[in-house]
Amino acid sequence: MKTISENASFGGTQGVYSHASTACNCEMTFGLFLPAEARDGPVPVLWYLSGLTCTHENAMNKAGAQTWAAEHGIAVVFPDTSPRGDDVADDEAYDLGKGAGFYVNATQDPWKPHFQMWDYIAEELPAFLGAHFALDMDRQGITGHSMGGHGALTLAMNLPGRFLSVSAFAPIANPTGSDWGRKQLTAYLGEDDAKWAKHDASLLMADVGFDGPVLIDQGAADQFLDLLKPEALAAALASKRQQGSFRMQPAYDHSYFFVSTFMEDHVAFHAEALYGG
């Protein structure tokens, strides 16, 4: 592991680290906020998965999560959104390739050699974090924005028992029915859409649901509503009678102004679950 930076933040430490990833076959970078309580022993951890075009830095610098995580004594991990490097496949479009890993394991060329983001987030990075930092890996929550909200929801429902709580900001809610999804799932997983279902939060919610509380915030003035398809997820939550809340927030768009506004609510929501509230 390489320490890129460590800065004092709200009594704790905001670090940025890199390591050689076996899953992605490249050097991967992540941010990790550790509250003051981590000096005395393992603390619960909240995952924040970012959206299209983002790196580990966007939420780390813009979401304001450290303020509220410090208040509740929770660590926050900010992974990257894709593999990186000169030999990593890319595309001219902003919504495919680097910065657009979609939290899946690619089975198609040229993506397959590096784009194994599901394994990286579900297996490799948790094991790495647990081995190197004072984190209680039995108490994990997960959240994310846009493509990261998609990743948070699909990981949470596909890994029962892993996460005690899940939330999302403006998630890509129904990628199998959206241009933010069909394009990427075809490229990464192939044209057999039967293989896409485990990566669609609305389909998963209607089928299996989540064994814990769910919180979704969606801006009513989001410029990407037609691509996000929040109505599909809202319907699935209702049909499954899922424990959770889906909130349409008037006037808010897709930006980090929206995310930072409701970050306090989301961290408090996860803290209640992580501390057995």
Side-chain angles (χ1 to χ4, degrees):
M1 182 177 67
K2 298 176 183 176
T3 300
I4 297 172
S5 63
E6 289 184 330
N7 298 95
S9 177
F10 296 97
T13 302
Q14 176 60 64
V16 177
Y17 311 93
S18 69
H19 69 116
S21 166
T22 301
C24 293
N25 193 27
C26 66
E27 192 83 0
M28 294 293 287
T29 301
F30 63 91
L32 177 65
F33 172 74
L34 289 172
E37 289 84 348
R39 300 186 189 109
D40 299 321
V43 296
V45 58
L46 175 61
W47 293 77
Y48 183 100
L49 305 185
S50 288
L52 290 167
T53 75
C54 292
T55 68
H56 67 282
E57 289 188 302
N58 297 72
M60 187 180 78
N61 293 337
K62 296 179 180 180
Q66 296 90 341
T67 311
W68 313 114
E71 182 175 303
H72 292 285
I74 293 172
V76 186
V77 57
F78 304 95
D80 203 346
T81 57
S82 77
R84 307 280 176 176
D86 293 341
D87 60 341
V88 174
D90 201 8
D91 191 272
E92 292 182 358
Y94 76 94
D95 58 355
L96 190 67
K98 293 178 184 177
F102 257 75
Y103 305 103
V104 302
N105 284 340
T107 59
Q108 307 298 303
D109 291 328
W111 314 106
K112 183 178 179 179
H114 298 283
F115 281 74
Q116 303 296 312
M117 287 300 293
W118 182 276
D119 282 353
Y120 180 67
I121 299 296
E123 303 299 337
E124 184 177 22
L125 188 54
F128 186 86
L129 291 170
H132 289 86
F133 298 96
L135 301 175
D136 182 350
M137 304 307 287
D138 290 328
R139 291 188 289 168
Q140 298 184 61
I142 190 166
T143 188
H145 174 230
S146 194
M147 179 185 73
H150 141 79
L153 289 164
T154 56
L155 282 155
M157 285 185 277
N158 277 295
L159 300 171
R162 172 73 62 88
F163 301 102
L164 300 178
S165 50
V166 61
S167 72
F169 301 86
I172 299 175
N174 185 206
T176 65
S178 169
D179 287 342
W180 268 2
R182 295 191 66 84
K183 170 185 176 179
Q184 294 84 358
L185 295 175
T186 300
Y188 296 142
L189 303 180
E191 296 185 358
D192 182 2
D193 58 10
K195 298 178 179 178
W196 304 352
K198 69 174 286 187
H199 299 293
D200 188 303
S202 295
L203 298 180
L204 283 167
M205 184 60 69
D207 183 23
V208 299
F210 177 65
D211 55 349
V214 177
L215 173 62
I216 310 294
D217 272 314
Q218 172 63 61
D222 194 311
Q223 57 270 47
F224 302 113
L225 280 174
D226 289 345
L227 293 166
L228 299 170
K229 298 191 176 296
E231 65 280 0
L233 182 56
L237 284 159
S239 68
K240 193 65 176 176
R241 299 179 181 177
Q242 170 70 43
Q243 174 192 358
S245 299
F246 186 104
R247 311 190 302 188
M248 291 295 293
Q249 302 291 0
Y252 285 92
D253 60 15
H254 199 68
S255 70
Y256 266 94
F257 296 109
F258 159 63
V259 173
S260 61
T261 298
F262 298 102
M263 181 57 72
E264 178 182 7
D265 289 357
H266 282 246
V267 175
F269 162 80
H270 288 284
E272 183 175 6
L274 294 173
Y275 283 106

